[in-house]
DNA sequence: TGGTCGTGAGAGAACGTTCGCTCAGCGGAG
DNA sequence: CTCCGCTGAGCGAACGTTCTCTCACGACCA
C-alpha cells in the first residue's frame, strides 16, 4: 500500500486554484469563495481523498485540540468511569484525549507529564493521587500548561474538581450508626492519600455525632483491592470481635470485605452491616446488594474537562473548588431499607467489548 | 501567568549559536558538536526552560509518535485492563496513546476514526466490536493508517490479536460437563458480536463432546451488564427449571447471574454451577469465588501495540492472527476444586485512584 | 468617464522543527 | 608549500497549514 497523505497543494493544483483558497474552503469557516470554485475544490478533495493535517494546523495555531489525562491507575474501575466522562466532554468540544497511566513506581511521573507538555497538549486533567506530594510535577504544570486536578496539588493555583470526601465518610458511617450499630469499623485506602484521610475524618465525625467511641482497633488501612479488603476485614474482626458494621472506602474493597466476612462466618447485614462508596455497576448485584455512596465519577471527569477548556480559552474561572454532590444509595448490605436485587431496571448499560 | 514556550531559536541566541546547532544538541542523537558548545547550549536551554515542540518535529518527520486506541466502551473493566497493557507498551517505545470511546450510538464511528487520522496518529489499535460490520471505517483504516484489531474487520488486511474464543467457550463448558452437570445453559453477550458467536460455538462443541443435547431454551442473550446477567438467568430458569450449570460470557454478567440465582433460591455451586470468563480482579472474591477463563487482557493490549509499531516501522509482520492462550482458573463456583477465598495472596494490586 | 466599493483569489510570511549540504579552519602527509 | 580530509558549525529548504494583506476585476454611482 502506498498510504500517502495528499496535501492542500495537490488538491489545489487539481482544482486549478491556490492552496490558500483550498484551505479556506476545506478547513476555514465562513469565507468568501465563489460557489463554483468551492465545489471544484471540494470534489478535487474528495477524489484525492484529502485529509487535513492537524499537525500543521496546530503548529501555526499553537493549539493541538488535545488534552492530556494523567491517571493514577486504570486498574481502578472508578477511573474508567471518569475517563468516559472526560473523553465525551472533550470530544464534544472537538478535543481528543491523550492518556497516561502513571502506574505505581512514582519515579517516572515527571517524564510522563513532560511528554504531554512536549506534545503541546492544550491542558491536563490530573487524576492521579500520587501527584499529591509531587512538587516537581506541580512546578511543571504551573509553569507550562493549564491544569485541572481531581486531587490536591502542592503549591496551589490548580483548580480542583471533586466531591467532599469528609461528607462521604460521614454519610456512610452515620447511616450505620442510625441503624443502631455500635462497633463500626472502617477499611480505608492508603493513608498517604488525602481522600482517604478526609473520609476517615468523616467517619470519625459520624462516630462522635452518634456518641460512639473511636478506636484505632476499628481502622484498617488497605490498598483499594478486593484482596486488600479481605485481609483488612480479617484483621478488624481479630482486633474487635464485636464488630457489627464497617464502612469500606471503595466498592472494589467491599467485594473482598464481603468475602472475608463470609469466610469468617458472619452474615451480612444481620451480624455485620457494610456500606462502601463509588457505586460501580456491579454494586447492586453483589450478595447482598451494596449500600454505597454514589460518587458522580463520569460527571467529575466531564466537569474537569469543561473547566480545563474554559481555562485554555483564557476565560475567567471561579477559583473555588468544584464540589459535586455524592449520594447515599441504600440497598441491603446495611441492614436498612433492604431492597433486594433490582428485578426490572436495566441499570447501567453494560459494556460491549468483545 | 505568561506561559510562553521558548523555541530553539531563543535558546540558540542565548548560547550564541545557530538554532540548527541547538537542535542537534538538544533533540538530535549523536552528533558532532564541540563539548564546550554543547554545554553552553544545554545550560541556556535549562535557564530558559526549553521544552521541545513535538508538533513541529512531527511535521517534518511525518511521525507523531502517537497511536490511537478506539475503544468500544470503557464501561467495560476488561477494556481498562487492555488499555493498561497497551499504554505501557506504547510508552516503552516512546509513543503516546490517544483514546476514543465509541459509545453505543454507532453513528459517529467514522468521525471518531477520522479525527484520529487527521491527527496523523502513526497507527490505530481497534478494540471495538462495533466496528466488526463497519465497512466504512474499515475502508478508512485500510486507506490511511496502519491498524491492528482485536476483532474481525470486514474486508481483511488488518492483523488480528486476540484469543480463541471458541476454545474459551469449550473450555468453560467442558469443565461443567466434566463436573457431571447435565443441563448446562449459557448467558451470552449480544449475538451480533463475533466473539459471542464463537464462544457459543465452543459451548455447543462441549455439549456435543459431552453427549449433552443443545437447546435454544438453554441459551439467553444478554448485554454484558450485571443487570442483563440477572435478567438472563431468570429467563433461563423459567425455561428450564432443571438447569444445573451455566456458562456466562463475562465476569460482570456473572455477578448478576449469581445475584439472580440467589434470588431464585438456588445455591451455587450445589444446585447450579457457574463458570464465566475474563478473570477480573474481583472474580476471586465473589461469593462463591468465580471459576472463570482468564483472558490475557493486558498482554493482548501490549501485543497489539507492539505489532502495530512494527507495522508502522515498515517491518514485515506475520499476517497470521496472534492468538494468546486463555486459561481456566478453577475456584468454587463450578463445584469442583472448591478453593475458597484466597487468604494470603495479595492478588492483583489494587488501583489507587482517590 | 472616472472613482469607489465589494468580491473573489492569491502572495508572502510564519509556526518550530529536522535534514542535507556547504563551508571555514586546521593539522598532517606528501 | 600544497593538498587532503576531518571537525565543527551554519545555511537553506522543507514539512502543511493559517493568517494578514494586497490585488484584479467588475459593477455601481455620480
Amino acid at each position: 500500500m502506498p498510504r500517502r497523505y495528499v496535501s492542500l497543494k495537490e488538491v489545489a493544483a487539481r482544482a486549478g486554484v491556490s492552496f490558500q483558497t483550498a484551505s479556506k474552503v476545506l478547513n476555514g469557516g465562513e469565507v468568501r469563495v465563489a460557489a463554483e470554485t468551492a465545489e471544484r475544490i471540494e470534489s478535487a478533495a474528495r477524489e484525492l481523498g484529502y485529509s487535513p493535517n492537524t499537525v500543521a494546523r496546530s503548529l501555526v495555531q499553537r493549539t493541538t485540540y488535545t488534552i492530556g489525562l494523567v491517571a493514577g491507575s486504570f486498574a481502578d474501575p472508578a477511573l474508567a468511569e471518569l475517563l468516559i466522562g472526560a473523553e465525551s466532554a472533550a470530544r464534544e468540544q472537538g478535543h481528543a484525549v491523550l492518556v497516561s497511566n502513571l502506574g505505581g513506581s512514582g519515579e517516572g511521573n515527571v517524564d510522563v507529564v513532560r511528554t504531554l507538555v512536549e506534545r503541546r497538549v492544550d491542558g491536563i486533567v490530573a487524576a492521579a493521587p500520587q501527584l499529591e506530594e509531587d512538587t516537581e510535577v506541580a512546578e511543571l504544570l504551573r509553569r507550562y500548561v493549564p491544569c485541572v486536578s481531581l486531587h490536591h496539588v502542592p503549591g496551589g493555583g490548580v483548580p480542583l474538581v471533586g466531591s467532599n470526601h469528609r461528607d462521604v465518610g460521614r454519610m456512610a458511617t452515620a447511616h450505620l450508626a442510625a441503624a443502631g450499630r455500635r462497633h463500626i469499623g472502617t477499611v480505608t485506602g492508603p493513608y498517604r492519600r488525602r481522600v482517604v484521610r478526609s473520609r476517615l475524618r468523616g467517619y470519625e465525625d459520624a462516630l462522635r455525632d452518634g456518641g460512639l467511641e473511636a478506636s484505632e482497633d476499628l481502622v484498617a488501612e488497605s490498598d483499594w483491592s478486593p484482596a486488600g479488603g479481605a485481609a483488612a476485614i480479617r484483621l478488624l474482626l481479630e482486633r474487635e470481635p464485636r464488630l457489627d458494621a464497617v464502612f469500606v472506602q471503595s466498592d472494589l474493597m467491599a467485594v473482598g470485605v464481603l468475602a472475608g466476612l463470609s469466610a469468617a462466618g458472619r452474615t451480612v447485614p444481620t451480624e455485620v452491616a457494610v456500606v462502601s462508596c463509588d457505586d460501580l455497576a456491579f454494586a447492586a448485584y453483589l450478595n447482598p446488594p451494596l449500600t454505597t455512596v454514589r460518587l458522580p465519577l463520569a460527571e467529575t471527569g466531564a466537569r474537569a474537562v469543561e473547566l480545563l477548556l474554559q481555562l485554555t480559552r483564557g476565560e475567567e474561572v471561579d477559583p473555588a473548588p468544584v464540589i459535586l454532590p455524592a449520594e447515599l444509595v441504600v440497598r441491603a448490605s446495611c441492614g436498612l431499607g433492604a431492597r433486594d436485587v433490582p428485578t426490572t431496571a436495566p441499570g447501567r448499560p453494560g459494556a460491549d467489548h468483545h
Side-chain angles (χ1 to χ4, degrees), chain A:
Chain A
M1 250 160 296
R3 213 121 67 174
R4 253 189 72 255
Y5 285 109
V6 327
S7 70
L8 272 182
K9 233 173 273 187
E10 303 172 66
V11 173
R14 170 178 264 249
V17 297
S18 76
F19 73 94
Q20 290 94 336
T21 305
S23 171
K24 285 182 201 165
V25 171
L26 296 175
N27 306 324
E30 312 296 316
V31 252
R32 307 163 325 170
V33 166
E36 194 255 348
T37 319
E39 199 155 320
R40 242 177 31 242
I41 294 175
E42 263 157 11
S43 71
R46 217 172 310 116
E47 285 158 23
L48 264 48
Y50 172 72
S51 161
N53 186 331
T54 312
V55 176
R57 180 201 312 239
S58 294
L59 185 57
V60 26
Q61 295 191 151
R62 324 168 87 96
T63 308
T64 51
Y65 303 100
T66 301
I67 64 175
L69 176 74
V70 4
S73 159
F74 283 115
D76 183 354
L79 236 161
E81 199 84 7
L82 220 134
L83 174 58
I84 294 175
E87 203 266 352
S88 85
R91 171 181 314 287
E92 221 155 83
Q93 306 206 27
H95 285 247
V97 178
L98 216 43
V99 298
S100 301
N101 197 11
L102 288 183
S105 68
E107 248 336 289
N109 291 358
V110 187
D111 298 313
V112 168
V113 176
R114 208 196 305 279
T115 47
L116 288 179
V117 168
E118 293 181 354
R119 279 185 165 76
R120 294 294 187 268
V121 294
D122 295 340
I124 289 182
V125 171
Q130 45 279 66
L131 300 182
E132 278 177 351
E133 312 114 359
D134 199 323
T135 56
E136 204 179 349
V137 166
E139 205 42 59
L140 208 57
L141 292 176
R142 242 191 308 280
R143 160 115 210 215
Y144 289 111
V145 63
C147 177
V148 168
S149 180
L150 310 187
H151 303 275
H152 176 262
V153 169
V158 172
L160 199 78
V161 175
S163 297
N164 182 331
H165 293 283
R166 187 163 182 176
D167 273 357
V168 168
R170 183 167 8 199
M171 215 184 298
T173 312
H175 185 70
L176 290 168
R181 308 288 170 159
R182 316 308 301 163
H183 301 97
I184 308 178
T186 185
V187 173
T188 78
Y191 290 157
R192 63 183 186 287
R193 304 301 176 213
R194 287 203 164 217
V195 243
V196 170
R197 297 197 300 270
S198 298
R199 290 177 184 171
L200 196 52
R201 243 177 304 139
Y203 158 82
E204 290 160 355
D205 289 348
L207 288 191
R208 195 174 330 105
D209 293 349
L212 301 174
E213 216 161 317
S215 151
E216 282 188 10
D217 283 348
L218 289 169
V219 180
E221 182 182 15
S222 184
D223 65 355
W224 303 122
S225 76
I233 191 67
R234 204 160 36 240
L235 184 64
L236 240 36
L237 286 173
E238 205 172 282
R239 294 200 299 219
E240 175 52 273
R242 293 171 302 172
L243 190 84
D244 58 6
V246 57
F247 161 49
V248 187
Q249 284 199 0
S250 82
D251 284 351
L252 209 55
M253 287 195 293
V255 174
V257 166
L258 290 182
L261 286 170
S262 153
R266 310 288 182 110
T267 63
V268 178
T270 339
E271 297 177 77
V272 179
V274 175
V275 171
S276 64
C277 52
D278 278 353
D279 196 26
L280 299 179
F282 61 73
Y285 295 89
L286 293 180
N287 184 12
L290 271 183
T291 291
T292 187
V293 179
R294 173 179 296 157
L295 296 175
L297 297 162
E299 194 189 344
T300 302
R303 287 297 293 277
V305 167
E306 283 158 17
L307 192 60
L308 181 65
L309 292 181
Q310 277 178 30
L311 234 47
T312 65
R313 285 191 298 259
E315 294 174 19
E316 242 1 88
V317 306
D318 186 346
V322 176
I323 302 297
L324 301 176
E327 169 202 11
L328 182 73
V329 180
V330 178
R331 301 202 181 89
S333 69
C334 59
L336 280 187
R339 253 194 280 155
D340 213 348
V341 177
T343 47
T344 56
R348 307 194 191 180
D352 183 357
H353 58 298
H354 293 284

